[in-house]
């Protein structure tokens, strides 16, 4: 698991840095999946830094954890590295998840990792879903596979999902669609806005009157 940290000067006593987790399921080294993950992370980090947030980015490379994931599925016991990776994802303020597309869906390694995460651990967490593939024909995997997966995990998926086909790298992309850099920036802005909004929301105050006794609720329903 690689770690990249961006420090933005802050005042003493400032809140902890925004934790941004990045999951990359690329299989080769280097991989277009990791490249897309890095670009999305850099764009999101830039948006958050511009809004005054200190940002800590942690990247989870599933390729390095493939054996640990398989062993955990069989034995039910995670290795220390896998446990750390899961904690990185569940403890983050926001998540970028990128997978290669095989047979019109996410990779088995990607799905196996998220199968190990409790289905309530990502509740309310902002997620940017992205994928790579050899042809643009696989782009709908984002909508019929990744988005339902994170909806099941009760995460909040940003409106713009980013797919990068082979022709998107170093070119202008399909003339009828936005270019890859444009989509990256739009998705990063949506994720940063969600994360920033959650960070800026005031914490609920403890209030004894917050829970209305059942008897009082019934009394309010009775006609006077």
């Amino acid at each position: 698991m690689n770690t990249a940290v961006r420090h933005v000067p802050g005042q003493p006593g400032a809140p902890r840095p925004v934790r941004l987790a990045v999951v990359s399921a690329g299989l080769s080294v280097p991989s277009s999946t990791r490249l897309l993950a890095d670009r999305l992370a850099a764009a999101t980090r830039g948006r958050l830094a511009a809004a005054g947030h200190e940002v800590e980015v942690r990247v989870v490379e599933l390729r390095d954890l493939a054996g640990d994931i398989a062993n955990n599925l069989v034995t039910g016991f995670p290795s220390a590295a896998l446990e750390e990776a899961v904690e990185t994802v569940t403890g983050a303020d926001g998540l970028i998840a990128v997978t290669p597309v095989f047979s019109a869906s996410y990779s088995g390694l990607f799905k196996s990792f998220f199968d190990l995460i409790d289905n309530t651990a990502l509740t309310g967490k902002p997620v940017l879903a992205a994928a790579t593939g050899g042809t643009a024909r696989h782009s709908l995997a984002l909508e019929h596979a990744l988005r339902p997966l994170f909806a099941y995990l009760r995460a909040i998926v940003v409106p713009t999902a980013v797919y990068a086909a082979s022709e998107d790298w170093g070119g202008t992309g399909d003339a009828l669609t936005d270019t890859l850099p444009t989509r990256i920036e739009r998705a990063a802005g949506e994720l940063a806005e969600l994360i920033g909004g959650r960070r800026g929301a005031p914490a609920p105050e403890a209030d004894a009157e917050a829970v209305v006794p059942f008897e009082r609720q019934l009394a309010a329903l009775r006609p006077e």
Side-chain angles (χ1 to χ4, degrees), residues 7 16 31 34 54 59 81 99 101 110 126 143 151 164 167 175 183 200 207 210-211 219 223:
H7 292 288
R16 66 166 175 79
S31 73
R34 176 60 188 270
E54 183 180 354
V59 180
T99 178
V101 174
F110 182 87
E143 304 303 326
E167 61 265 26
R183 284 179 276 134
D207 186 355
V211 178

Side-chain angles (χ1 to χ4, degrees), residues 37 63 92 121 164 168 188 194:
R63 178 181 182 274
D168 286 317
L194 272 178

Side-chain angles (χ1 to χ4, degrees), residues 1-87:
M1 181 169 59
N2 300 321
T3 303
V5 180
R6 163 68 177 263
H7 292 288
V8 178
Q11 299 297 324
R16 66 166 175 79
V18 171
R19 297 169 182 162
L20 180 64
V22 182
V23 172
S24 171
L27 299 181
S28 59
V29 180
S31 73
S32 59
T33 300
R34 176 60 188 270
L35 178 59
L36 179 58
D38 287 344
R39 290 194 178 182
L40 289 167
T44 304
R45 183 175 56 191
R47 293 295 189 97
L48 287 166
H53 296 286
E54 183 180 354
V55 185
E56 178 184 281
V57 179
R58 301 194 68 186
V59 180
V60 176
E61 273 282 9
L62 297 187
R63 178 181 182 274
D64 300 334
L65 298 168
D68 300 293
I69 292 170
N71 287 334
N72 190 19
L73 289 172
V74 174
T75 66
F77 296 99
S79 65
L82 180 56
E83 191 169 19
E84 180 185 357
V86 171
E87 289 175 356

Side-chain angles (χ1 to χ4, degrees), residues 12-223:
R16 66 166 175 79
V18 171
R19 297 169 182 162
L20 180 64
V22 182
V23 172
S24 171
L27 299 181
S28 59
V29 180
S31 73
S32 59
T33 300
R34 176 60 188 270
L35 178 59
L36 179 58
D38 287 344
R39 290 194 178 182
L40 289 167
T44 304
R45 183 175 56 191
R47 293 295 189 97
L48 287 166
H53 296 286
E54 183 180 354
V55 185
E56 178 184 281
V57 179
R58 301 194 68 186
V59 180
V60 176
E61 273 282 9
L62 297 187
R63 178 181 182 274
D64 300 334
L65 298 168
D68 300 293
I69 292 170
N71 287 334
N72 190 19
L73 289 172
V74 174
T75 66
F77 296 99
S79 65
L82 180 56
E83 191 169 19
E84 180 185 357
V86 171
E87 289 175 356
T88 293
V89 171
T90 57
D93 297 299
L95 170 65
I96 296 172
V98 191
T99 178
V101 174
F102 299 129
S103 302
S105 188
Y106 36 60
S107 73
L109 181 60
F110 182 87
K111 180 61 163 59
S112 294
F113 175 74
F114 283 100
D115 281 345
L116 302 179
I117 295 178
D118 185 88
N119 64 359
T120 62
L122 300 185
T123 300
K125 191 179 302 298
V127 174
L128 194 169
T132 59
T135 171
R137 291 184 302 163
H138 292 305
S139 60
L140 285 179
L142 287 165
E143 304 303 326
H144 73 70
L146 269 76
R147 200 176 290 277
L149 169 65
F150 288 112
Y152 171 77
L153 294 173
R154 306 178 188 179
I156 302 174
V157 186
V158 302
T160 301
V162 180
Y163 180 83
S166 297
E167 61 265 26
D168 286 317
W169 299 105
T172 58
D174 188 335
L176 299 179
T177 63
D178 291 334
T179 63
L180 179 58
T182 301
R183 284 179 276 134
I184 287 174
E185 286 298 327
R186 185 193 308 128
E190 292 168 355
L191 181 61
E193 185 174 353
L194 272 178
I195 294 173
R198 285 169 58 86
R199 291 273 292 185
E205 297 181 358
D207 186 355
E209 296 298 321
V211 178
V212 180
F214 184 62
E215 295 80 2
R216 189 183 304 175
Q217 296 182 47
L218 285 178
L221 294 175
R222 297 191 188 103

